[in-house]
Amino acid sequence: MSFVQVDDVRVHLRADGDPARPCIVLSNSLGTDLSMWDPQVAFLARDFHVLRYDTRGHGRSGRGTAPVTLERLGRDVVGLLDALAIPRAHFCGISMGGMIGQWLGIHRPQRLGKLVLANTSARIGTPEAWSARAAQVRADGMGGVADGAAARWFTPAFIAREPPRVARMIARLREQDREGYAACCAALADADLRGAAATIAAATLVIAGAHDPVTTVADGESLAATIRTAELAVVPASHISNVEADAPFTTHLLHFLAA
């Protein structure tokens, strides 16, 4: 566990595996932290230098002072790589992290190896919905968002089967900094990559959850069709697919990176 200063924010990160091996960066979803990648790290660390970080305003990373935009979140990743003297890395992001990955593929392709975009879209939700959520957490805190998160993140069967895992993630959501969360909601309200995603040239894997109500299989199909280098995999999960369907998610990820 360590921290790196990137522009105006102190970024919390964790590195696993041999630094001499190729690097893969893992980027969390809105309202989570780097621990969400626990199911994948041991497998990835056999062959990769695995770098996890908390998106600004999340986990132990600072909120910073700069206005939060998708560009700012993408530049945070570039700054993190610069600070660690990593010229090029694979990237895997889920939901908001997947939008950050698309920004990198569009604007910083020279810093990318392969790109994995999980449970995401070139446009997630509507500006009105994100603005309303930002206003809600600023006014009332994280409780209301956390109360409904399990049903958005996981299928009823997983919630019944794995209550401790679900409870841990919801507890972390409740602990998130409300202003950091709201600022990222505002960034997602403005983020629209539907025109630009077609310029992504990196080899890309799009992973969709078969039961995801947030970013649907149709969203995954559309994104994979837009990115000419992309292939699509569907796993039996809802929105946080790397946790709910950890084994098939990890298998798809490892096969794609090894190909």
Side-chain angles (χ1 to χ4, degrees):
M1 184 175 67
S2 61
F3 295 85
V4 170
Q5 189 69 31
V6 177
D7 294 333
D8 66 319
V9 70
R10 190 168 181 249
V11 177
H12 174 229
L13 62 94
R14 177 167 176 173
D16 295 272
D18 185 351
R21 294 186 180 275
C23 179
I24 180 167
V25 177
L26 304 178
S27 183
N28 59 283
S29 62
L30 180 70
T32 66
D33 60 22
L34 58 75
S35 68
M36 75 175 302
W37 296 107
D38 286 349
Q40 283 72 49
V41 168
F43 298 96
L44 288 168
R46 297 170 184 170
D47 298 304
F48 297 94
H49 179 214
V50 184
L51 181 62
R52 293 180 280 171
Y53 74 102
D54 289 335
T55 302
R56 68 165 58 215
H58 285 66
R60 298 189 180 188
S61 288
R63 185 193 308 160
T65 57
V68 180
T69 63
L70 184 61
E71 177 181 358
R72 177 66 270 169
L73 298 178
R75 288 181 179 273
D76 286 346
V77 178
V78 176
L80 184 60
L81 294 176
D82 287 345
L84 299 174
I86 299 172
R88 187 178 175 90
H90 304 305
F91 185 92
C92 176
I94 187 165
S95 194
M96 177 177 69
M99 291 206 77
I100 295 170
Q102 291 172 67
W103 187 93
L104 292 168
I106 294 162
H107 297 285
R108 295 294 185 274
Q110 71 277 14
R111 305 305 297 269
L112 284 182
K114 292 185 176 182
L115 180 59
V116 182
L117 307 173
N119 299 85
T120 194
S121 177
R123 176 69 165 134
I124 300 177
T126 66
E128 296 77 15
W130 288 120
S131 296
R133 189 182 298 186
Q136 175 190 354
V137 299
R138 284 180 170 130
D140 303 323
M142 297 300 301
V145 169
D147 288 343
R152 294 191 302 272
W153 285 359
F154 304 111
T155 63
F158 183 80
I159 293 170
R161 188 171 69 247
E162 298 281 356
R165 295 177 74 184
V166 174
R168 282 195 298 272
M169 292 195 69
I170 299 305
R172 289 193 178 99
L173 175 59
R174 290 187 189 279
E175 295 167 357
Q176 296 292 346
D177 174 71
R178 72 169 73 184
E179 183 55 38
Y181 182 96
C184 285
C185 287
L188 291 171
D190 292 335
D192 189 345
L193 302 176
R194 286 176 292 184
T199 66
I200 295 174
T204 301
L205 172 65
V206 176
I207 299 178
H211 311 291
D212 187 351
V214 181
T215 50
T216 64
V217 172
D219 290 324
E221 291 170 340
S222 177
L223 186 59
T226 298
I227 302 170
R228 60 179 178 81
T229 55
E231 57 188 84
L232 175 69
V234 179
V235 296
S238 187
H239 192 57
I240 309 296
S241 66
N242 74 301
V243 174
E244 179 165 358
D246 53 353
F249 185 103
T250 304
T251 297
H252 284 300
L253 177 59
L254 292 174
H255 285 177
F256 173 70
L257 294 173

